[in-house]
Amino acid sequence: MRGDPSVLHVDLDAFFAAVEQRDKPSLRGKPVVVGGIGVRGVVSTASYEARKYGVRSAMSTAEARSRCPHAAYLSPRFEVYRQSSRAVMAEMRALSPLVEPLSLDEAFIDLAASGLTGLTVEDVQAIADDLKAAIHKVSGGLTASVGAGTSKLIAKIASDLDKPDGVVVVPAGTEAEFLAPMQVTVIPGVGPATAQRLSMAGVRTVADLQQLDEDELIRQVGSAHGSSLHRLAVAADDRPVVSDRETKSVSVEDTFETDIIDRALLTAISDRMAHRVAERLQKAQLSGRTVTVKTRMHDFTTHTRSSTLAGPTDDARVVARVARRLLEESDIGGGIRLLGVGVSSLADWIQDDLFTEGEHAENPVEVVELPARPRDQLGFHPGQDVAHPDYGRGWVWGSGRGRVTVRFETADTPPGPVRTFSVDDPALTKVQHTGADADEEPETQQNVSNEG
């Protein structure tokens, strides 16, 4: 264990929603919900104003609307979030060469890697305050909460205790005492099932967990899990901060507005997803051996099927062919509400002879073009950035029935006027941000944002 609280966990507060409030002056201080806006959408991030009404991440958008109908419900703008994230991560790396990003909005920082030793609580508090001020400046006003401790476990838990915009430093030697009064679910790996088992044994707080010997804990939850919980309960966490987090998989998935029972349509969607996955693999100079198809049924049950190849590939034809076979083996009775295709077991090299060229020629994969959506569905989503030659920059307030309503304002202007246009008005254009398309989902698992 370290002798000083030299591990920081930095978590941007309600990141997606905070960026939207920063860029849309009329939404500052008001409830904002970012996520899927359709009937089957899921909340990604809720502003603190929306959380007062019980809106939380991973909640269905329908339930969020019932709890907070007056909130602004916006589609995510991932490239804008990435731009802000890059600026914030640069400030962290200026503080230490050892930064471990967990997602767009949170990271661990190892102060010891900067040569800082003998850090007192006051020293770390000052460092955290300076970092928060730098983040606020480079991000255009975003806030962050910081936890600091002798391990990643303690720092991560501490960062959640004084949100938003807080700092909690746990002095060395007080870790077990710090954890003791907390619910046992604060320990990583204690989900609902494990918590229920522990509760049956009279364990509800970390203090209760600390009283169990390792053998008893193993009897309750199993050997591997029990040993881990026994160590973490007393903050025995020596995991290092690592600067490069390995990408575990590359995947694409989509939730449909209505359940799909047409197997030909599902196959066409699967082919398109396979090609998008292959493009991302090639862009990242990666390949993978395991292809997985994920289906969520009409009754919300979720199934995954996987197939492992002889060697890694980034060939769209191979990924599509395997995904097709896996989908053919899946039961679609009653309809599918979500479909996903992914590749895992990644490598930085490619097995060229998985299939011969003759096999490719004999069984080509044809990518079927899906029907184009109307422009008001494809081009205009609530929260999307647009521009008009007469009114300047603005964002989509709402669209439908052939019309689109826009509020013209930016982060640097006061709240602006609202105007409505025909969806076919050629003067109203979508603003393209530098980099990936703003409506594109995060490319890899570690890019998915947590609720801060």
Short mmCIF file of all heavy atoms in Angstrom, two decimals, residues 395-447:
data_model
loop_
_atom_site.label_atom_id
_atom_site.label_comp_id
_atom_site.label_asym_id
_atom_site.label_seq_id
_atom_site.Cartn_x
_atom_site.Cartn_y
_atom_site.Cartn_z
N TRP A 395 -29.44 25.31 -32.49
CA TRP A 395 -29.63 23.88 -32.24
C TRP A 395 -31.11 23.53 -32.38
O TRP A 395 -31.99 24.36 -32.18
CB TRP A 395 -29.10 23.47 -30.87
CG TRP A 395 -29.70 24.21 -29.70
CD1 TRP A 395 -29.35 25.46 -29.24
CD2 TRP A 395 -30.76 23.77 -28.84
NE1 TRP A 395 -30.12 25.82 -28.16
CE2 TRP A 395 -30.98 24.80 -27.88
CE3 TRP A 395 -31.52 22.60 -28.78
CZ2 TRP A 395 -31.94 24.69 -26.88
CZ3 TRP A 395 -32.48 22.49 -27.78
CH2 TRP A 395 -32.68 23.53 -26.85
N VAL A 396 -31.34 22.28 -32.75
CA VAL A 396 -32.70 21.82 -33.01
C VAL A 396 -33.47 21.67 -31.70
O VAL A 396 -33.07 20.91 -30.81
CB VAL A 396 -32.69 20.49 -33.78
CG1 VAL A 396 -34.10 19.95 -33.94
CG2 VAL A 396 -32.03 20.67 -35.13
N TRP A 397 -34.55 22.38 -31.61
CA TRP A 397 -35.44 22.29 -30.45
C TRP A 397 -36.34 21.06 -30.61
O TRP A 397 -36.61 20.34 -29.66
CB TRP A 397 -36.26 23.58 -30.38
CG TRP A 397 -37.13 23.74 -29.18
CD1 TRP A 397 -38.13 22.90 -28.78
CD2 TRP A 397 -37.11 24.82 -28.25
NE1 TRP A 397 -38.75 23.40 -27.66
CE2 TRP A 397 -38.14 24.58 -27.31
CE3 TRP A 397 -36.36 25.97 -28.13
CZ2 TRP A 397 -38.42 25.45 -26.26
CZ3 TRP A 397 -36.63 26.83 -27.08
CH2 TRP A 397 -37.64 26.57 -26.15
N GLY A 398 -36.84 20.86 -31.83
CA GLY A 398 -37.70 19.71 -32.10
C GLY A 398 -38.01 19.65 -33.58
O GLY A 398 -37.81 20.62 -34.32
N SER A 399 -38.47 18.49 -34.04
CA SER A 399 -38.82 18.35 -35.45
C SER A 399 -39.92 17.31 -35.61
O SER A 399 -40.11 16.44 -34.75
CB SER A 399 -37.60 17.94 -36.28
OG SER A 399 -37.17 16.64 -35.93
N GLY A 400 -40.64 17.40 -36.70
CA GLY A 400 -41.73 16.48 -37.00
C GLY A 400 -42.77 17.14 -37.87
O GLY A 400 -42.86 18.37 -37.95
N ARG A 401 -43.56 16.32 -38.56
CA ARG A 401 -44.63 16.79 -39.42
C ARG A 401 -44.10 17.79 -40.46
O ARG A 401 -44.77 18.78 -40.80
CB ARG A 401 -45.75 17.42 -38.62
CG ARG A 401 -46.42 16.43 -37.67
CD ARG A 401 -47.63 17.00 -37.00
NE ARG A 401 -48.27 16.00 -36.16
CZ ARG A 401 -49.41 16.21 -35.48
NH1 ARG A 401 -50.03 17.38 -35.58
NH2 ARG A 401 -49.92 15.24 -34.73
N GLY A 402 -42.89 17.52 -40.94
CA GLY A 402 -42.34 18.33 -42.00
C GLY A 402 -41.76 19.65 -41.58
O GLY A 402 -41.39 20.48 -42.43
N ARG A 403 -41.64 19.87 -40.26
CA ARG A 403 -41.08 21.13 -39.78
C ARG A 403 -39.97 20.88 -38.77
O ARG A 403 -39.93 19.82 -38.13
CB ARG A 403 -42.18 21.98 -39.14
CG ARG A 403 -43.22 22.50 -40.12
CD ARG A 403 -44.34 23.23 -39.42
NE ARG A 403 -45.04 22.35 -38.48
CZ ARG A 403 -46.31 22.51 -38.12
NH1 ARG A 403 -47.00 23.49 -38.64
NH2 ARG A 403 -46.87 21.70 -37.26
N VAL A 404 -39.11 21.86 -38.61
CA VAL A 404 -38.05 21.79 -37.62
C VAL A 404 -37.95 23.14 -36.92
O VAL A 404 -37.97 24.19 -37.58
CB VAL A 404 -36.70 21.40 -38.28
CG1 VAL A 404 -36.32 22.36 -39.39
CG2 VAL A 404 -35.59 21.34 -37.23
N THR A 405 -37.91 23.09 -35.60
CA THR A 405 -37.84 24.30 -34.79
C THR A 405 -36.45 24.44 -34.21
O THR A 405 -35.90 23.47 -33.66
CB THR A 405 -38.88 24.26 -33.66
OG1 THR A 405 -40.19 24.16 -34.24
CG2 THR A 405 -38.82 25.52 -32.81
N VAL A 406 -35.88 25.62 -34.34
CA VAL A 406 -34.49 25.86 -33.96
C VAL A 406 -34.40 27.04 -33.01
O VAL A 406 -35.08 28.06 -33.20
CB VAL A 406 -33.63 26.15 -35.22
CG1 VAL A 406 -32.18 26.46 -34.83
CG2 VAL A 406 -33.69 24.98 -36.19
N ARG A 407 -33.58 26.89 -31.97
CA ARG A 407 -33.23 28.04 -31.13
C ARG A 407 -31.83 28.48 -31.54
O ARG A 407 -30.87 27.69 -31.50
CB ARG A 407 -33.25 27.68 -29.64
CG ARG A 407 -32.90 28.90 -28.77
CD ARG A 407 -32.88 28.57 -27.30
NE ARG A 407 -34.19 28.55 -26.69
CZ ARG A 407 -34.85 29.63 -26.24
NH1 ARG A 407 -34.30 30.83 -26.39
NH2 ARG A 407 -36.02 29.50 -25.68
N PHE A 408 -31.69 29.74 -31.92
CA PHE A 408 -30.42 30.26 -32.41
C PHE A 408 -29.64 30.89 -31.27
O PHE A 408 -29.93 32.00 -30.82
CB PHE A 408 -30.66 31.26 -33.55
CG PHE A 408 -31.13 30.59 -34.81
CD1 PHE A 408 -32.48 30.55 -35.14
CD2 PHE A 408 -30.22 29.98 -35.66
CE1 PHE A 408 -32.91 29.91 -36.29
CE2 PHE A 408 -30.64 29.34 -36.82
CZ PHE A 408 -31.99 29.31 -37.13
N GLU A 409 -28.63 30.12 -30.80
CA GLU A 409 -27.76 30.56 -29.72
C GLU A 409 -26.54 29.67 -29.71
O GLU A 409 -26.55 28.57 -30.27
CB GLU A 409 -28.48 30.48 -28.36
CG GLU A 409 -28.89 29.06 -27.98
CD GLU A 409 -29.68 28.99 -26.69
OE1 GLU A 409 -30.02 30.05 -26.14
OE2 GLU A 409 -29.95 27.86 -26.22
N THR A 410 -25.48 30.13 -29.09
CA THR A 410 -24.27 29.34 -28.91
C THR A 410 -23.75 29.55 -27.50
O THR A 410 -24.32 30.34 -26.73
CB THR A 410 -23.17 29.75 -29.91
OG1 THR A 410 -22.69 31.06 -29.58
CG2 THR A 410 -23.70 29.73 -31.35
N ALA A 411 -22.67 28.86 -27.17
CA ALA A 411 -22.09 28.99 -25.84
C ALA A 411 -21.67 30.42 -25.53
O ALA A 411 -21.60 30.81 -24.36
CB ALA A 411 -20.89 28.05 -25.72
N ASP A 412 -21.40 31.22 -26.57
CA ASP A 412 -20.88 32.57 -26.38
C ASP A 412 -21.93 33.66 -26.54
O ASP A 412 -21.60 34.85 -26.58
CB ASP A 412 -19.73 32.82 -27.38
CG ASP A 412 -18.60 31.83 -27.21
OD1 ASP A 412 -18.27 31.51 -26.06
OD2 ASP A 412 -18.06 31.36 -28.22
N THR A 413 -23.20 33.26 -26.64
CA THR A 413 -24.26 34.25 -26.80
C THR A 413 -25.27 34.11 -25.66
O THR A 413 -25.30 33.08 -24.97
CB THR A 413 -25.01 34.05 -28.13
OG1 THR A 413 -25.78 32.85 -28.07
CG2 THR A 413 -24.04 33.99 -29.30
N PRO A 414 -26.10 35.13 -25.46
CA PRO A 414 -27.21 34.95 -24.52
C PRO A 414 -28.26 34.04 -25.13
O PRO A 414 -28.20 33.71 -26.32
CB PRO A 414 -27.74 36.38 -24.34
CG PRO A 414 -27.34 37.10 -25.58
CD PRO A 414 -26.04 36.49 -26.02
N PRO A 415 -29.26 33.61 -24.34
CA PRO A 415 -30.34 32.80 -24.91
C PRO A 415 -30.93 33.47 -26.14
O PRO A 415 -31.20 34.68 -26.15
CB PRO A 415 -31.35 32.72 -23.76
CG PRO A 415 -30.51 32.82 -22.53
CD PRO A 415 -29.42 33.80 -22.88
N GLY A 416 -31.13 32.67 -27.21
CA GLY A 416 -31.50 33.25 -28.49
C GLY A 416 -32.93 33.00 -28.90
O GLY A 416 -33.69 32.31 -28.22
N PRO A 417 -33.31 33.55 -30.06
CA PRO A 417 -34.68 33.42 -30.55
C PRO A 417 -34.97 32.03 -31.10
O PRO A 417 -34.07 31.27 -31.45
CB PRO A 417 -34.74 34.46 -31.68
CG PRO A 417 -33.32 34.53 -32.17
CD PRO A 417 -32.47 34.35 -30.95
N VAL A 418 -36.25 31.70 -31.18
CA VAL A 418 -36.72 30.42 -31.71
C VAL A 418 -37.42 30.66 -33.04
O VAL A 418 -38.26 31.55 -33.16
CB VAL A 418 -37.67 29.73 -30.72
CG1 VAL A 418 -38.22 28.43 -31.31
CG2 VAL A 418 -36.96 29.45 -29.39
N ARG A 419 -37.07 29.85 -34.04
CA ARG A 419 -37.67 29.98 -35.36
C ARG A 419 -38.03 28.58 -35.87
O ARG A 419 -37.35 27.60 -35.56
CB ARG A 419 -36.71 30.64 -36.36
CG ARG A 419 -36.28 32.05 -35.98
CD ARG A 419 -37.42 33.04 -36.20
NE ARG A 419 -36.98 34.41 -35.96
CZ ARG A 419 -37.05 35.02 -34.77
NH1 ARG A 419 -37.52 34.35 -33.72
NH2 ARG A 419 -36.65 36.27 -34.64
N THR A 420 -39.09 28.50 -36.68
CA THR A 420 -39.52 27.23 -37.26
C THR A 420 -39.40 27.28 -38.78
O THR A 420 -39.75 28.29 -39.40
CB THR A 420 -40.97 26.91 -36.86
OG1 THR A 420 -41.04 26.79 -35.44
CG2 THR A 420 -41.44 25.60 -37.49
N PHE A 421 -38.89 26.19 -39.36
CA PHE A 421 -38.65 26.10 -40.80
C PHE A 421 -39.28 24.83 -41.35
O PHE A 421 -39.55 23.88 -40.61
CB PHE A 421 -37.14 26.07 -41.10
CG PHE A 421 -36.37 27.21 -40.50
CD1 PHE A 421 -35.87 27.11 -39.21
CD2 PHE A 421 -36.15 28.37 -41.23
CE1 PHE A 421 -35.16 28.16 -38.65
CE2 PHE A 421 -35.43 29.42 -40.68
CZ PHE A 421 -34.94 29.32 -39.39
N SER A 422 -39.44 24.82 -42.67
CA SER A 422 -39.79 23.58 -43.33
C SER A 422 -38.59 22.64 -43.27
O SER A 422 -37.44 23.08 -43.36
CB SER A 422 -40.16 23.84 -44.80
OG SER A 422 -40.21 22.62 -45.52
N VAL A 423 -38.84 21.35 -43.11
CA VAL A 423 -37.75 20.40 -43.02
C VAL A 423 -36.95 20.37 -44.32
O VAL A 423 -35.78 19.95 -44.33
CB VAL A 423 -38.29 19.00 -42.67
CG1 VAL A 423 -39.01 18.38 -43.85
CG2 VAL A 423 -37.18 18.08 -42.19
N ASP A 424 -37.54 20.83 -45.41
CA ASP A 424 -36.85 20.83 -46.70
C ASP A 424 -36.18 22.17 -47.00
O ASP A 424 -35.67 22.35 -48.11
CB ASP A 424 -37.85 20.51 -47.82
CG ASP A 424 -38.43 19.12 -47.69
OD1 ASP A 424 -37.67 18.21 -47.29
OD2 ASP A 424 -39.63 18.93 -47.95
N ASP A 425 -36.18 23.08 -46.06
CA ASP A 425 -35.58 24.40 -46.30
C ASP A 425 -34.08 24.23 -46.57
O ASP A 425 -33.33 23.82 -45.69
CB ASP A 425 -35.79 25.29 -45.08
CG ASP A 425 -35.44 26.75 -45.35
OD1 ASP A 425 -34.53 26.98 -46.19
OD2 ASP A 425 -36.04 27.63 -44.73
N PRO A 426 -33.62 24.55 -47.79
CA PRO A 426 -32.20 24.33 -48.11
C PRO A 426 -31.26 25.27 -47.35
O PRO A 426 -30.06 25.01 -47.28
CB PRO A 426 -32.14 24.60 -49.62
CG PRO A 426 -33.28 25.51 -49.89
CD PRO A 426 -34.37 25.10 -48.93
N ALA A 427 -31.79 26.33 -46.77
CA ALA A 427 -30.93 27.27 -46.05
C ALA A 427 -30.53 26.73 -44.68
O ALA A 427 -29.55 27.20 -44.09
CB ALA A 427 -31.64 28.61 -45.90
N LEU A 428 -31.27 25.77 -44.17
CA LEU A 428 -30.97 25.22 -42.85
C LEU A 428 -30.08 23.99 -43.02
O LEU A 428 -30.48 23.00 -43.63
CB LEU A 428 -32.26 24.83 -42.12
CG LEU A 428 -32.10 24.45 -40.65
CD1 LEU A 428 -31.64 25.64 -39.82
CD2 LEU A 428 -33.42 23.91 -40.11
N THR A 429 -28.88 24.06 -42.50
CA THR A 429 -27.91 22.97 -42.70
C THR A 429 -27.41 22.42 -41.38
O THR A 429 -27.30 23.14 -40.38
CB THR A 429 -26.71 23.46 -43.53
OG1 THR A 429 -26.09 24.57 -42.86
CG2 THR A 429 -27.14 23.90 -44.93
N LYS A 430 -27.08 21.15 -41.42
CA LYS A 430 -26.49 20.49 -40.26
C LYS A 430 -25.03 20.87 -40.14
O LYS A 430 -24.30 20.88 -41.12
CB LYS A 430 -26.63 18.97 -40.42
CG LYS A 430 -25.97 18.15 -39.34
CD LYS A 430 -26.13 16.67 -39.65
CE LYS A 430 -25.35 15.81 -38.66
NZ LYS A 430 -25.46 14.37 -38.98
N VAL A 431 -24.59 21.19 -38.93
CA VAL A 431 -23.19 21.55 -38.69
C VAL A 431 -22.38 20.28 -38.48
O VAL A 431 -22.69 19.46 -37.60
CB VAL A 431 -23.05 22.46 -37.46
CG1 VAL A 431 -21.58 22.70 -37.13
CG2 VAL A 431 -23.76 23.79 -37.70
N GLN A 432 -21.37 20.10 -39.31
CA GLN A 432 -20.48 18.94 -39.19
C GLN A 432 -19.29 19.32 -38.30
O GLN A 432 -18.59 20.28 -38.57
CB GLN A 432 -19.97 18.51 -40.56
CG GLN A 432 -21.06 18.01 -41.50
CD GLN A 432 -21.61 16.66 -41.07
OE1 GLN A 432 -21.01 15.97 -40.26
NE2 GLN A 432 -22.74 16.29 -41.65
N HIS A 433 -19.10 18.54 -37.24
CA HIS A 433 -17.97 18.79 -36.35
C HIS A 433 -16.75 18.05 -36.85
O HIS A 433 -16.85 17.01 -37.51
CB HIS A 433 -18.30 18.34 -34.92
CG HIS A 433 -19.41 19.14 -34.31
ND1 HIS A 433 -19.20 20.38 -33.77
CD2 HIS A 433 -20.73 18.88 -34.19
CE1 HIS A 433 -20.35 20.86 -33.32
NE2 HIS A 433 -21.30 19.96 -33.57
N THR A 434 -15.59 18.57 -36.53
CA THR A 434 -14.34 17.94 -36.95
C THR A 434 -14.23 16.57 -36.32
O THR A 434 -14.46 16.40 -35.13
CB THR A 434 -13.13 18.78 -36.52
OG1 THR A 434 -13.27 20.09 -37.07
CG2 THR A 434 -11.85 18.16 -36.99
N GLY A 435 -13.87 15.56 -37.13
CA GLY A 435 -13.73 14.20 -36.62
C GLY A 435 -14.91 13.37 -37.03
O GLY A 435 -15.56 13.61 -38.04
N ALA A 436 -15.22 12.34 -36.21
CA ALA A 436 -16.32 11.43 -36.51
C ALA A 436 -17.64 12.18 -36.48
O ALA A 436 -17.76 13.24 -35.88
CB ALA A 436 -16.34 10.27 -35.51
N ASP A 437 -18.62 11.62 -37.14
CA ASP A 437 -19.93 12.24 -37.17
C ASP A 437 -20.49 12.37 -35.77
O ASP A 437 -20.35 11.49 -34.93
CB ASP A 437 -20.89 11.38 -38.00
CG ASP A 437 -22.23 12.08 -38.18
OD1 ASP A 437 -22.35 12.86 -39.11
OD2 ASP A 437 -23.12 11.79 -37.36
N ALA A 438 -21.11 13.49 -35.49
CA ALA A 438 -21.57 13.78 -34.14
C ALA A 438 -22.64 12.81 -33.66
O ALA A 438 -22.85 12.68 -32.47
CB ALA A 438 -22.13 15.20 -34.08
N ASP A 439 -23.32 12.14 -34.57
CA ASP A 439 -24.38 11.22 -34.16
C ASP A 439 -23.88 9.80 -34.02
O ASP A 439 -24.64 8.89 -33.74
CB ASP A 439 -25.52 11.23 -35.19
CG ASP A 439 -26.16 12.60 -35.25
OD1 ASP A 439 -26.26 13.24 -34.21
OD2 ASP A 439 -26.55 13.03 -36.36
N GLU A 440 -22.58 9.58 -34.22
CA GLU A 440 -22.06 8.22 -34.20
C GLU A 440 -21.81 7.77 -32.77
O GLU A 440 -21.37 8.53 -31.91
CB GLU A 440 -20.74 8.19 -34.97
CG GLU A 440 -20.13 6.81 -35.09
CD GLU A 440 -18.91 6.84 -35.98
OE1 GLU A 440 -19.07 7.07 -37.18
OE2 GLU A 440 -17.82 6.65 -35.45
N GLU A 441 -22.07 6.52 -32.50
CA GLU A 441 -21.84 5.98 -31.18
C GLU A 441 -20.34 5.85 -30.91
O GLU A 441 -19.54 5.78 -31.83
CB GLU A 441 -22.49 4.58 -31.07
CG GLU A 441 -23.99 4.61 -31.12
CD GLU A 441 -24.61 5.20 -29.89
OE1 GLU A 441 -23.92 5.25 -28.86
OE2 GLU A 441 -25.76 5.64 -29.95
N PRO A 442 -19.94 5.79 -29.62
CA PRO A 442 -18.54 5.56 -29.31
C PRO A 442 -18.03 4.30 -29.98
O PRO A 442 -18.73 3.30 -30.07
CB PRO A 442 -18.54 5.41 -27.77
CG PRO A 442 -19.78 6.10 -27.33
CD PRO A 442 -20.77 5.91 -28.44
N GLU A 443 -16.77 4.32 -30.43
CA GLU A 443 -16.27 3.23 -31.25
C GLU A 443 -15.91 1.99 -30.44
O GLU A 443 -15.99 0.88 -30.92
CB GLU A 443 -15.05 3.69 -32.04
CG GLU A 443 -15.40 4.76 -33.08
CD GLU A 443 -14.22 5.11 -33.93
OE1 GLU A 443 -13.15 4.53 -33.71
OE2 GLU A 443 -14.35 5.95 -34.82
N THR A 444 -15.46 2.16 -29.22
CA THR A 444 -15.00 1.02 -28.46
C THR A 444 -15.53 1.10 -27.04
O THR A 444 -15.97 2.15 -26.57
CB THR A 444 -13.46 0.97 -28.42
OG1 THR A 444 -12.98 2.25 -28.03
CG2 THR A 444 -12.90 0.65 -29.79
N GLN A 445 -15.44 0.01 -26.33
CA GLN A 445 -16.06 -0.06 -25.02
C GLN A 445 -15.58 1.01 -24.07
O GLN A 445 -16.36 1.59 -23.33
CB GLN A 445 -15.78 -1.44 -24.40
CG GLN A 445 -16.65 -2.54 -24.96
CD GLN A 445 -16.48 -3.81 -24.19
OE1 GLN A 445 -15.56 -3.95 -23.38
NE2 GLN A 445 -17.35 -4.76 -24.42
N GLN A 446 -14.28 1.28 -24.06
CA GLN A 446 -13.80 2.19 -23.04
C GLN A 446 -14.19 3.63 -23.29
O GLN A 446 -13.98 4.49 -22.46
CB GLN A 446 -12.26 2.11 -22.91
CG GLN A 446 -11.49 2.83 -24.02
CD GLN A 446 -11.22 1.94 -25.17
OE1 GLN A 446 -11.95 1.00 -25.43
NE2 GLN A 446 -10.15 2.20 -25.89
N ASN A 447 -14.80 3.93 -24.46
CA ASN A 447 -15.23 5.28 -24.74
C ASN A 447 -16.60 5.60 -24.18
O ASN A 447 -17.05 6.73 -24.21
CB ASN A 447 -15.27 5.53 -26.26
CG ASN A 447 -13.88 5.64 -26.84
OD1 ASN A 447 -12.96 6.03 -26.14
ND2 ASN A 447 -13.72 5.29 -28.08
#
